[in-house]
């Protein structure tokens, strides 16, 4: 018995590093290596003839010309890129808020009141994933045309003269497109968080005299706060790099987002490094909500305990 303790201690010491090894390799291959490639291109050079990026792998030889150029166009007097960045923040914030307004009640109802229909509702919530994002957006292109179903519905069968050009540079159309495209990504983690909330705590709150609103405010919301943060991360981060929604539903420079700047830079010879600068900006902005998520997770553990 005395000899088995050291052996179990050695196995326990290597257990967690072994379990973490696949995730660590995945993180290195999928995140760290591509990020270093982006940095090597951003701080690299440009072929003077072919206008192709020339990555520089040695950080000691990095050239900050392209990065300084982008920063100058954001914070300098010639702030050519600044409107697109501000627009991205506003669009993503509005779309995330609308997604939360739609997703939270849906997830709450499915987790608490769906009963034996919970599986059917979950299948219905996952159903949009069976159709590609592009096809769903193309469907809205037909609906939002000047003579499309949306304008026909608003005209109430010809009673009103409605000819709204939804697809010609409307920020509202882009925001609603983002909401439609990403709201399923918010419903599922919210459902998972609300479904795990112990019913006994809700019943205890009601037994102690709390109203439905007080029970939600003091018990349900704190318990679901981590799920809310996760769902916001899952929707906000891809929205920040989205360019397809604006291209299909607007196509106007007046509604372009940072994802469109990245796409345009990649497609323009000699500007691939600028795309790397925009990617770096998105990465830095994304780190802040990740810290908030870690803090929220710790708070959720304290509430659960």
């Amino acid at each position: 018995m005395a000899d088995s303790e050291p052996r179990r201690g050695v196995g326990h010491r290597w257990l967690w590093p072994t379990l973490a090894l696949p995730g660590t390799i995945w993180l290195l291959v999928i995140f760290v290596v591509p990020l270093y490639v982006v940095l090597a291109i951003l701080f690299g050079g440009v072929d003077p003839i072919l206008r192709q990026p020339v990555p520089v792998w040695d950080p000691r030889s990095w050239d900050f010309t392209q990065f300084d150029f982008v920063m100058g166009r954001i914070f300098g007097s010639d702030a050519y890129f600044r409107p697109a960045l501000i627009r991205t923040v506003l669009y993503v914030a509005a779309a995330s808020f609308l997604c939360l307004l739609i997703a939270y009640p849906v997830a709450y109802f499915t987790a608490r009141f769906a009963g034996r229909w919970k599986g059917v509702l979950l299948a219905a919530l996952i159903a949009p994933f069976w159709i590609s994002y592009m096809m769903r957006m193309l469907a809205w292109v037909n609906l939002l045309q000047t003579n499309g179903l949306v304008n026909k519905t608003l005209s109430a069968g010809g009673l009103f003269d409605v000819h709204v050009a939804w697809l010609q540079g409307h920020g509202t159309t882009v925001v609603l497109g983002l909401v439609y495209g990403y709201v399923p990504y918010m419903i599922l983690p919210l459902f998972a968080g609300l479904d795990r909330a112990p019913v006994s705590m809700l019943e205890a709150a009601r037994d102690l005299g709390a109203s439905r609103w007080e029970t939600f405010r003091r018990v349900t919301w704190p318990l679901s706060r981590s799920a809310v943060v996760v769902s916001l991360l899952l929707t906000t981060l891809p929205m920040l790099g989205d360019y397809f929604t604006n291209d299909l539903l607007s196509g106007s420079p007046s509604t372009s987002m940072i994802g469109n700047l990245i796409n345009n830079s990649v497609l323009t010879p000699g500007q691939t490094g600028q795309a790397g600068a925009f990617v770096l900006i998105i990465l830095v902005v994304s780190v802040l909500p990740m810290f908030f998520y870690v803090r929220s997770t710790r708070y959720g553990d304290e509430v659960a305990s």
Side-chain angles (χ1 to χ4, degrees), residues 30-234:
I30 301 300
F31 177 72
V32 177
V33 174
L35 177 61
Y36 191 77
V37 172
V38 170
L39 294 177
I41 293 176
L42 167 60
F43 300 119
V46 178
D47 188 286
I49 299 177
L50 301 177
R51 306 300 296 169
Q52 295 292 325
V54 180
V56 175
W57 305 108
D58 188 355
R60 294 171 298 180
S61 304
W62 280 356
D63 181 6
F64 289 81
T65 302
Q66 298 186 91
F67 183 76
D68 292 339
F69 175 82
V70 173
M71 291 297 107
R73 294 301 183 275
I74 295 176
F75 300 106
S77 57
D78 185 15
Y80 178 76
F81 298 136
R82 189 190 302 169
L85 268 65
I86 296 175
R87 197 179 299 120
T88 301
V89 173
L90 296 177
Y91 284 2
V92 170
S96 299
F97 179 70
L98 290 176
C99 282
L100 186 61
L101 284 182
I102 297 171
Y104 198 96
V106 173
Y108 187 85
F109 176 82
T110 307
R112 294 295 174 203
F113 304 109
R116 61 191 179 92
W117 295 100
K118 185 183 294 185
V120 177
L121 286 177
L122 281 177
L125 295 175
I126 298 174
F129 291 107
W130 299 343
I131 305 174
S132 72
Y133 188 84
M134 182 182 70
M135 294 303 296
R136 284 185 282 153
M137 288 299 122
L138 287 175
W140 275 105
V141 170
N142 290 326
L143 295 174
L144 293 173
Q145 288 179 350
T146 307
N147 59 347
L149 184 61
V150 173
N151 277 344
K152 289 181 180 178
T153 303
L154 293 176
S155 65
L159 185 62
F160 304 103
D161 186 18
V162 178
H163 294 284
V164 180
W166 297 101
L167 302 176
Q168 296 182 10
H170 281 275
T172 305
T173 305
V174 178
V175 171
L176 294 179
L178 291 173
V179 173
Y180 172 74
Y182 290 96
V183 72
Y185 296 96
M186 184 172 284
I187 293 176
L188 292 180
L190 281 175
F191 167 79
L194 290 168
D195 193 50
R196 289 201 311 268
V199 179
S200 59
M201 294 185 67
L202 305 179
E203 294 176 345
R206 297 302 304 275
D207 292 340
L208 292 173
S211 63
R212 291 184 182 275
W213 167 246
E214 284 294 318
T215 303
F216 173 80
R217 189 173 68 87
R218 294 179 179 273
V219 181
T220 304
W221 176 254
L223 289 175
S224 63
R225 188 174 299 172
S226 297
V228 170
V229 176
V230 170
S231 61
L232 286 173
L233 287 174
L234 286 178

